[in-house]
Amino acid sequence: MKLGIFALQGAFIEHEKAFSALGADTAEIRRRAHFSDGLDGIVLPGGESTVQGKLLREEGLLQPVKEAIEAGLPVFGTCAGLILLAKELSNDPNVYFGAMDVTVRRNAYGRQLGSFRAALAFDGVGEYPAVFIRAPYIERVGGGAKALAQVNGYAVAARQGNILATAFHPELTDDLRIHGYFLDMIRGKV
Ligand code: GLN
């Protein structure tokens, strides 16, 4: 199993550690040439979506990665990664991969609640200790997508076929079950 972890900006090392602990190989993607065939899945880490989006565009990665996701390449996006995957942002005119039929609000919890923890019920995983950092939430979950977890009535995790996205940071806790869920998705087990 080999995963490509986008390493342009943000919390990518933590994802590498989590997947390594689960026995998967990881390779960092920084340039167009790093995005090659032979990856079983890709990971879009948290960070700053506007910076990541700009770098993806400048590297010529936006279009080929979008096409690969649309062709079925498994992808796991966390926080800024969710923003990059969304078809629509409710408070930002940008669209990046536009692959997931959800409307996402950036920095949705405001400045006071910039960072917080919440114990969630994550569908298919169970209770999960989630860490949120200047997190978005999902305002609308469209046709093909399905909410997997909620906080205060808004979805904070969703799945659409080969696409998994969370508003929170599973890579910042020792609980590896959501990373394991993504590996099971790749194996076709969930
Ligand atoms: N607020 C960031 C953004 O809009 C996302 C925060 C994160 O990834 N921790 O891109």
Side-chain angles (χ1 to χ4, degrees):
M1 179 84 78
K2 188 167 177 192
L3 301 176
I5 316 275
F6 280 82
L8 296 156
Q9 187 267 344
F12 52 89
I13 290 167
E14 291 80 359
H15 277 296
E16 291 171 12
K17 286 184 182 156
F19 283 116
S20 299
L22 292 170
D25 291 330
T26 62
E28 293 183 356
I29 301 175
R30 293 170 197 277
R31 309 225 166 279
R32 175 67 187 87
H34 301 159
F35 181 63
S36 55
D37 297 341
L39 293 173
D40 297 299
I42 54 172
V43 179
L44 305 171
E48 192 54 42
S49 57
T50 46
V51 177
Q52 294 181 1
K54 184 170 174 282
L55 293 170
L56 284 166
R57 203 167 275 134
E58 284 172 6
E59 279 302 323
L61 276 160
L62 210 50
Q63 195 57 27
V65 174
K66 176 182 162 70
E67 285 168 14
I69 295 169
E70 285 169 357
L73 180 68
V75 53
F76 178 25
T78 61
C79 202
L82 163 65
I83 294 166
L84 295 180
L85 286 166
K87 267 210 162 79
E88 184 183 43
L89 306 175
S90 60
N91 56 348
D92 186 322
N94 284 299
V95 176
Y96 301 96
F97 297 123
M100 193 178 208
D101 189 10
V102 291
T103 302
V104 168
R105 172 166 288 269
R106 293 183 62 202
N107 302 315
Y109 297 94
R111 294 202 183 275
Q112 271 73 27
L113 215 56
S115 301
F116 63 99
R117 287 171 182 269
L120 309 168
F122 194 102
D123 216 14
V125 167
E127 187 172 300
Y128 189 86
V131 175
F132 292 79
I133 302 170
R134 293 192 306 110
Y137 62 51
I138 302 171
E139 278 186 355
R140 181 193 62 89
V141 181
K146 183 175 174 288
L148 296 177
Q150 304 207 343
V151 168
N152 297 334
Y154 286 108
V156 292
R159 163 113 183 244
Q160 177 182 306
N162 57 311
I163 305 172
L164 174 69
T166 65
F168 55 93
H169 291 270
E171 76 284 10
L172 299 183
T173 53
D174 294 334
D175 190 325
L176 302 180
R177 287 177 297 158
I178 295 178
H179 289 80
Y181 180 95
F182 182 58
L183 295 180
D184 281 346
M185 254 175 72
I186 295 174
R187 295 184 186 111
K189 286 196 191 165
V190 291

